[in-house]
Amino acid sequence: MLELLAYLHGSELVARFQRRCGLILVDAANHSQGSTRSHLTGTLDHADKSRERRLDRQDRNSNYTHKGNGCASAGCSRPQYEVRNLILHYLFLLSAGLGHEIFYITCLPCIHWNLDPFLCRRLVNMWTVVMYIGQVTKDLLKLPRPLSPPVVKLETRVDAEYGLPSTHAMSATAISFTLLLSAPSRIQFQFEVGLLIAVTLSSLVCLSRLYTGMHSILDVVCGALISFVLLYVTYPYWETLDHFQLSSPVSPVVALLLPLFLSYTYPELDRYTTTRGDTTTILGAGAGCSIGYWVNELLGQTFEPQGELPVPLPTLTVAGLPLGFARFLLGVVVLLGTRQVVKTLSLRVLYSWYRVPKNDDGARRRREIEVPSKFATYTSVGLVNSILVNRIFLLLGL
């Protein structure tokens, strides 16, 4: 059993998958011969060669130290790659983006603005729980990401983080299937079609983590399985949580203090990674949204669909598309503006409080600055999303 787990966690399986998809690791010494090699393989014609990507990438994985010919100087050859299947390349890069911050700050709120706040609330609740558990598990197990070489690394921001489980796989699985399980009571649609979409989206995100070289097969499989277990365990209590979240007088207190406590007590590591900051971001956004939904219920304006449920799925019309796009664009601008304003103000206050020089960007990694700054920023984003944006739409006739 241990041998099987070690095999699934190995880097060579990831590298093999990348090669099958047309992402090839190239020796820097042979890089100049790449055009000849591509021509001989027959995978690229003359037009393709002009668009072929051969980019130097310095591997930043904490597990990897370049040992080529024993060279340690800056002039050493660095891992390079070439892309031989542009369709798969951009498909997987787009799929990987579904697990990034820009997706969560745009597409999840879009469900609140244009479809049903009830569904958005369910998604944010499960996303927050799943991501916190995934991030903490990752930093407790401390299992490394795939090594490069033999793997090509297409991302560097989170490369210093540990690997198992894949939180991209966890969030994609949780969001896809939470929406699938929650939507039938709210919107009329064919369940089989929804199931196909959920499986396709979650599978693409999982495969994208292999293609980008950020996770092993074991990381991805464990991430998806953990999400399915959490969905199975929590599903019977979703309605109870809905009632508490919207109706209990202590709901906003719990929604604020519990995530803040979890952010400050996040496991300490022997080196800095982005996991604590990312986790605080998620917990803050979840806290802000939860308080906002409670406020909307208290004010008696929840912006949920009118009429008998489940309502028909909104149809795309020539008149509806510009309206939906305008709502989306305005909402994103408001959220990004809120993020920038609160982030700037919170950092200024914290830098002043702790007497940190304004040009000391490294201070942002300190827990006493990182946690309150990110928590305040994204709690504000969550509040604005759930309370303010829809009211702006009403004011502007959108």
Side-chain angles (χ1 to χ4, degrees):
M1 186 64 178
L2 291 178
E3 291 182 359
L4 175 61
L5 294 178
Y7 174 72
L8 293 176
H9 193 249
S11 301
E12 185 53 43
L13 282 180
V14 180
R16 192 182 307 170
F17 176 78
Q18 289 180 322
R19 291 193 294 269
R20 289 287 181 89
C21 295
L23 185 62
I24 310 299
L25 186 68
V26 183
D27 242 3
N30 300 326
H31 182 53
S32 60
Q33 303 173 12
S35 298
T36 303
R37 179 171 52 255
S38 298
H39 176 71
L40 290 175
T41 59
T43 57
L44 295 173
D45 58 21
H46 180 72
D48 290 329
K49 290 178 187 177
S50 64
R51 296 182 297 167
E52 181 182 1
R53 296 327 190 238
R54 290 190 182 91
L55 303 174
D56 277 347
R57 288 290 186 268
Q58 182 173 7
D59 189 275
R60 301 179 185 177
N61 192 313
S62 59
N63 305 308
Y64 171 65
T65 303
H66 186 67
K67 300 179 181 179
N69 300 324
C71 179
S73 67
C76 286
S77 59
R78 297 178 297 177
Q80 302 170 22
Y81 66 86
E82 60 182 77
V83 176
R84 297 182 178 177
N85 191 323
L86 290 175
I87 295 177
L88 285 181
H89 182 69
Y90 289 115
L91 174 64
F92 284 132
L93 289 184
L94 178 63
S95 301
L98 299 180
H100 294 327
E101 177 188 358
I102 190 65
F103 170 76
Y104 299 127
I105 207 171
T106 55
C107 292
L108 285 183
C110 193
I111 294 176
H112 175 96
W113 305 330
N114 294 305
L115 191 58
D116 187 353
F118 171 90
L119 295 177
C120 185
R121 184 176 73 249
R122 283 273 179 93
L123 292 177
V124 170
N125 288 343
M126 279 307 301
W127 170 63
T128 304
V129 171
V130 163
M131 289 297 288
Y132 176 77
I133 291 175
Q135 295 282 71
V136 169
T137 302
K138 187 184 295 185
D139 281 346
L140 290 178
L141 294 179
K142 299 183 178 180
L143 294 176
R145 292 180 183 270
L147 300 178
S148 175
V151 170
V152 177
K153 294 292 184 71
L154 297 183
E155 295 181 11
T156 57
R157 178 184 175 273
V158 297
D159 204 20
E161 296 181 7
Y162 293 107
L164 191 150
S166 166
T167 47
H168 274 71
M170 291 183 69
S171 62
T173 302
I175 287 174
S176 298
F177 286 91
T178 298
L179 184 59
L180 179 68
L181 293 172
S182 301
S185 64
R186 310 289 297 184
I187 299 172
Q188 299 173 17
F189 71 101
Q190 191 172 346
F191 185 84
E192 291 77 9
V193 174
L195 177 61
L196 178 62
I197 294 174
V199 171
T200 300
L201 289 178
S202 55
S203 297
L204 280 174
V205 174
C206 289
L207 291 175
S208 75
R209 303 317 287 160
L210 301 179
Y211 183 82
T212 55
M214 302 311 296
H215 285 287
S216 68
I217 291 178
L218 185 64
D219 298 345
V220 169
V221 170
C222 287
L225 287 178
I226 291 172
S227 279
F228 279 124
V229 170
L230 290 173
L231 287 169
Y232 178 78
V233 171
T234 60
Y235 178 71
Y237 306 102
W238 285 1
E239 290 189 8
T240 302
L241 177 60
D242 286 338
H243 179 74
F244 172 82
Q245 190 174 28
L246 299 177
S247 306
S248 174
V250 300
S251 173
V253 178
V254 174
L256 182 66
L257 295 184
L258 179 59
L260 187 59
F261 171 78
L262 294 176
S263 298
Y264 271 103
T265 57
Y266 191 84
E268 289 286 343
L269 298 177
D270 55 358
R271 56 186 169 82
Y272 178 80
T273 72
T274 56
T275 48
R276 183 181 62 201
D278 290 345
T279 305
T280 303
T281 293
I282 294 163
L283 291 172
C289 286
S290 182
I291 296 171
Y293 288 124
W294 182 85
V295 170
N296 286 340
E297 186 74 17
L298 185 66
L299 296 176
Q301 193 173 24
T302 60
F303 305 101
E304 295 185 3
Q306 302 298 313
E308 185 178 353
L309 297 173
V311 299
L313 188 68
T315 56
L316 296 178
T317 62
V318 175
L321 282 175
L323 182 63
F325 180 74
R327 291 165 66 93
F328 171 78
L329 188 61
L330 178 59
V332 169
V333 168
V334 171
L335 293 189
L336 292 178
T338 301
R339 174 183 177 272
Q340 189 59 41
V341 170
V342 179
K343 176 182 177 181
T344 301
L345 291 176
S346 63
L347 285 175
R348 285 183 180 178
V349 170
L350 290 165
Y351 270 44
S352 176
W353 179 265
Y354 290 104
R355 302 182 185 279
V356 176
K358 294 181 179 180
N359 59 351
D360 186 1
D361 291 335
R364 298 185 185 191
R365 296 182 171 187
R366 291 162 49 179
R367 181 173 65 176
E368 63 269 23
I369 292 179
E370 181 181 54
V371 170
S373 173
K374 286 187 176 290
F375 193 85
T377 298
Y378 286 91
T379 298
S380 301
V381 170
L383 285 168
V384 170
N385 167 62
S386 52
I387 298 176
L388 186 60
V389 174
N390 275 98
R391 288 177 169 82
I392 294 176
F393 293 159
L394 287 178
L395 184 65
L396 298 178
L398 297 175

